[in-house]
Amino acid sequence: MSESIFKISQELQGIINDIIDAGGEITPETEANLSIKKDELSSKSESYGYVIRKMEYDVNIIDQEIIRLNQIKKSRKNTIDRLKNVLSFTMTNFDVPEIVTPTMKISFRKSSTLEITDESKIPKKYIVQKVTSSISKAEIKKAIKEGEIIEGAEIIENQNLQIK
């Protein structure tokens, strides 16, 4: 049972080709070979199923860990912002523009930002038009299912592997 599903599939196709070459006749020997290959495939497929389930479980655990880590990250960022605000407020109140210690320097850096106070007064040459469009796949699918023919679109039926 050390054969891979690929090898089992190849051997199964070989047996099918032998049946076709024999004019569709299945000998007892061919039937026995078919039965063995089917059993091997079933066993191997079950093993694949267990591996897939385990990996799906791992992915779920990883997703939960990502959520947990993002919450920790958000909390740390909020703490950093609060600490910076307290430090900034205190330095401003005591009129201390810079603090220098042997290991770090804390100071203010000048920067500028633009704030729009009234959009209606901004000259048109500074206004940029953004136009976006997207295809509503849900609406197209609904229309095709209702019998409408839409050129450039078709519904494709898929076979999705399900492991229960």
Side-chain angles (χ1 to χ4, degrees):
M1 279 243 244
S2 61
E3 294 185 39
S4 69
I5 287 183
F6 178 75
K7 184 162 176 147
I8 293 169
S9 296
Q10 279 185 319
E11 290 176 4
L12 187 59
Q13 187 60 50
I15 292 169
I16 292 169
N17 290 341
D18 290 344
I19 293 170
I20 292 170
D21 291 344
E25 187 176 324
I26 299 176
T27 64
E29 181 180 284
T30 307
E31 190 173 338
N33 283 337
L34 274 174
S35 177
I36 290 169
K37 296 303 173 197
K38 188 173 181 182
D39 290 344
E40 289 175 10
L41 179 62
S42 177
S43 173
K44 281 289 181 182
S45 296
E46 182 178 20
S47 297
Y48 272 58
Y50 284 125
V51 170
I52 290 168
R53 277 188 183 168
K54 169 71 170 95
M55 291 203 168
E56 286 174 341
Y57 174 78
D58 289 349
V59 166
N60 187 29
I61 294 297
I62 291 167
D63 285 342
Q64 291 173 11
E65 185 66 7
I66 288 169
I67 290 168
R68 187 185 75 81
L69 290 173
N70 278 331
Q71 289 170 342
I72 291 171
K73 179 181 175 182
K74 183 179 177 183
S75 173
R76 298 277 167 95
K77 282 185 170 188
N78 289 340
T79 301
I80 290 167
D81 289 343
R82 283 192 301 274
L83 292 173
K84 281 184 174 181
N85 286 337
V86 167
L87 187 56
S88 176
F89 178 77
T90 304
M91 287 175 66
T92 302
N93 276 349
F94 285 112
D95 196 28
V96 177
E98 179 178 83
I99 297 173
V100 179
T101 71
T103 57
M104 73 176 58
K105 176 181 174 183
I106 302 169
S107 62
F108 291 102
R109 174 180 50 86
K110 289 191 178 199
S111 66
S112 62
T113 58
L114 175 67
E115 185 176 324
I116 305 296
T117 55
D118 188 354
E119 286 186 20
S120 64
K121 294 181 180 177
I122 301 294
K124 289 195 185 282
K125 71 178 186 176
Y126 297 110
I127 297 174
V128 176
Q129 292 287 337
K130 293 182 182 180
V131 178
T132 61
S133 61
S134 62
I135 296 172
S136 174
K137 288 184 175 182
E139 290 295 320
I140 292 173
K141 187 175 182 180
K142 181 181 172 187
I144 290 174
K145 282 186 174 183
E146 291 174 353
E148 190 175 333
I149 297 173
I150 299 178
E151 200 170 314
E154 63 181 294
I155 295 177
I156 298 173
E157 296 294 327
N158 298 314
Q159 292 287 344
N160 298 315
L161 185 64
Q162 181 177 341
I163 300 172
K164 289 187 177 182

